[in-house]
Amino acid sequence: MKLQYRYNPDTCRFEPVHPSPTAWMRRLLVVSLLSACGAFGFFLIYTRHFGFPAEQRLAAENAHYRRQWHFINTELGKSEQRLSALLMRDNTNYRLMLDLAPLSPDQLKAGSGGAPVPLPEDVQHYDELKASYIRLLQLQHRLEVARQSFDELHEEADRKNRMKESRPAIQPVDNRELSRLHTTFGLRMHPIFGVLMDHKGLDFALPKGSPVYATGNGRVSQAHYSPSYGNVVYIDHGFGYETRYAHLQKFIVHPGQYVQRGQIIGYVGNTGVSVSPHLHYEVYYRGVAVNPIHFFQRDLSSEEYLKLIERAGQAPHSLD
Ligand SMILES: [Zn+2]
């Protein structure tokens, strides 16, 4: 501190004046106040431009979370697009191919249905978060729709495959030369009774002992001797189909046995009401006899099929 001097007439000299403690305290107080004001002003200017440290840290965290949120929303959008493509392909290809009803526009769009899911309390007050949360719920709904649809497709494909293997689709005997078919289906003169009667199947003339094949996968429902059919085998193929193989010399399957298409079930004979060795073959669909000739497509070309139909039309009489 700069010293002050005062003139002393007694000594005729300038002598230093020492401030009193009170003056010292006053000066110290002034300096302290000025320093505090300066520091406070600097603090205000700094925080105005850069904010408080806690605010700076929160702002950095906020920016970080916003980037993460943007990333999640982008990925969410990609998932929505991929799922839409998947559902569209499912709807326009697979469900169409398998004769399944298409998914509704509502299912394709949002998969909504049932009671709306309440939003969590934390989400309800933030519009952006709420929008993302709803998108996520919709995605979950659509995933569930896709899962159910794929289960349905798998089940239907499996059912159709089983039906394809079970449906009668080949000739019940070896008829590669197409010469074994002896009669036609429908009304004809009975060879023994001599009256017009309905012939509910087709006759294949073959030597005794020729193998007879199951024409589709199924379960043997009956295998016994009947006065009219002779030794006969019934096969239940499921899906409304049944086949019967009559006048057998003998059968080698038993009721309850599962058989495959092409499996030998017996041999051609002349048992029951029959005029000569042959196989009488019937096909029933939902309990109604149908012309078996329409079920030979599996082992016939188009030309062979037409030739067989022509031959069936020329057949003079049945062998029963
Ligand atoms: Zn017949």
Side-chain angles (χ1 to χ4, degrees):
M1 184 181 291
K2 191 185 286 184
L3 284 175
Q4 290 184 338
Y5 292 87
R6 183 184 298 159
Y7 182 72
N8 188 345
D10 296 332
T11 59
C12 297
R13 296 178 60 184
F14 285 96
E15 294 175 353
V17 178
H18 296 285
S20 67
T22 305
W24 271 104
M25 287 300 294
R26 192 165 51 244
R27 287 179 185 177
L28 187 63
L29 187 62
V30 169
V31 169
S32 297
L33 279 173
L34 287 174
S35 298
C37 287
F40 185 68
F42 176 78
F43 180 74
L44 283 179
I45 293 168
Y46 180 87
T47 54
R48 184 180 182 83
H49 286 281
F50 303 106
F52 290 97
E55 286 179 343
Q56 289 177 22
R57 192 177 67 251
L58 288 173
E61 282 182 11
N62 197 19
H64 172 72
Y65 288 137
R66 280 196 170 277
R67 284 195 299 274
Q68 295 295 319
W69 190 13
H70 177 71
F71 172 75
I72 289 171
N73 273 330
T74 304
E75 294 302 312
L76 185 61
K78 289 179 186 174
S79 298
E80 288 169 340
Q81 287 176 358
R82 285 173 188 158
L83 183 59
S84 292
L86 202 64
L87 282 169
M88 194 58 73
R89 192 175 63 189
D90 172 15
N91 213 29
T92 54
N93 292 347
Y94 305 132
R95 295 187 73 86
L96 195 67
M97 284 162 57
L98 292 171
D99 293 328
L100 289 172
L103 298 171
S104 69
D106 182 53
Q107 286 174 306
L108 285 172
K109 188 181 173 187
S112 60
V117 178
L119 295 176
E121 184 72 23
D122 292 344
V123 172
Q124 289 186 3
H125 306 296
Y126 301 95
D127 289 343
E128 290 179 328
L129 190 59
K130 190 174 166 182
S132 295
Y133 195 84
I134 289 172
R135 282 175 67 190
L136 190 62
L137 288 180
Q138 288 175 338
L139 188 66
Q140 288 176 354
H141 280 302
R142 296 171 75 203
L143 276 172
E144 180 59 19
V145 169
R147 187 194 66 75
Q148 288 177 2
S149 179
F150 287 141
D151 283 352
E152 201 178 350
L153 282 168
H154 181 267
E155 196 175 303
E156 184 61 16
D158 184 56
R159 194 186 77 85
K160 279 198 161 40
N161 195 44
R162 280 189 285 111
M163 186 168 75
K164 187 179 160 191
E165 296 302 320
S166 301
R167 187 175 182 270
I170 62 172
Q171 297 181 82
V173 293
D174 183 354
N175 187 28
R176 275 172 284 191
E177 290 80 24
L178 307 178
S179 59
R180 300 299 185 182
L181 189 59
H182 195 76
T183 187
T184 188
F185 176 86
L187 205 62
R188 54 67 172 113
M189 187 66 73
H190 195 282
I192 295 175
F193 303 138
V195 292
L196 280 174
M197 289 179 71
D198 210 16
H199 191 232
K200 294 185 175 177
L202 293 177
D203 293 339
F204 293 87
L206 291 103
K208 273 186 184 176
S210 300
V212 174
Y213 307 103
T215 55
N217 296 354
R219 177 180 164 276
V220 176
S221 55
Q222 297 186 48
H224 61 268
Y225 179 81
S226 143
S228 56
Y229 277 146
N231 288 321
V232 63
V233 171
Y234 291 46
I235 297 178
D236 179 3
H237 301 276
F239 307 100
Y241 293 104
E242 181 192 75
T243 53
R244 298 177 185 178
Y245 312 76
H247 310 303
L248 300 173
Q249 182 183 45
K250 68 171 183 177
F251 46 77
I252 57 171
V253 291
H254 55 82
Q257 181 178 342
Y258 285 92
V259 293
Q260 304 286 313
R261 177 181 291 146
Q263 180 177 336
I264 296 176
I265 57 171
Y267 298 95
V268 171
N270 192 26
T271 57
V273 180
S274 170
V275 295
S276 63
H278 76 287
L279 172 74
H280 174 88
Y281 174 62
E282 295 178 355
V283 175
Y284 286 79
Y285 181 63
R286 293 181 177 172
V288 178
V290 291
N291 191 343
I293 206 165
H294 302 311
F295 293 82
F296 297 155
Q297 74 276 27
R298 182 76 177 261
D299 58 356
L300 289 177
S301 66
S302 301
E303 292 76 18
E304 289 171 330
Y305 180 65
L306 291 174
K307 192 174 174 184
L308 198 66
I309 287 180
E310 185 183 357
R311 179 171 176 81
Q314 293 169 352
H317 55 78
S318 65
L319 303 172
D320 276 80

